[in-house]
Amino acid sequence: MLAVTWWGLIFGLMIEAGVLTVREAGWCMGDTSGLCRALATLCTADHPLGLKTYSPELFWASLCLLAAGAFGRLLALFFTPTLASLPTLRFRSWR
């Protein structure tokens, strides 16, 4: 959510001004090419927290964390032992 908010603060003004369409700006959310970086550094408006440029590394890091979480969840679904697969415990009689 932080990456999307950061992207919206930087590229939202460009969308409103008609410099970029929403689709073109959407590509810049994860694009590290020179064009998107150049457009992001052209933003001269004052933003909250003093943001002047957008860096897509936060977006890619968040995608990696989401993918790792989804992969971990899948592993847990397939490799968690069920109650039926656990060995039955036999207690000795104390008599």
Side-chain angles (χ1 to χ4, degrees):
M1 292 306 292
L2 182 62
V4 173
T5 303
W6 187 7
W7 170 84
L9 288 172
I10 298 296
F11 286 98
L13 293 174
M14 291 183 200
I15 294 170
E16 288 177 12
V19 175
L20 294 172
T21 64
V22 175
R23 184 177 181 179
E24 292 168 340
W27 280 107
C28 289
M29 187 180 297
D31 190 13
T32 57
S33 72
L35 178 62
C36 288
R37 286 198 185 258
L39 286 172
T41 57
L42 290 176
C43 186
T44 58
D46 291 329
H47 291 290
L49 306 175
L51 298 174
K52 295 294 181 187
T53 187
Y54 172 75
S55 180
E57 285 81 10
L58 180 63
F59 173 74
W60 288 112
S62 64
L63 281 183
C64 288
L65 287 174
L66 285 172
F71 183 70
R73 181 68 179 140
L74 282 175
L75 285 177
L77 285 174
F78 287 112
F79 294 109
T80 302
T82 61
L83 191 57
S85 68
L86 294 176
T88 56
L89 299 175
R90 296 179 186 233
F91 294 100
R92 288 182 52 184
S93 174
W94 292 100
R95 295 184 205 187

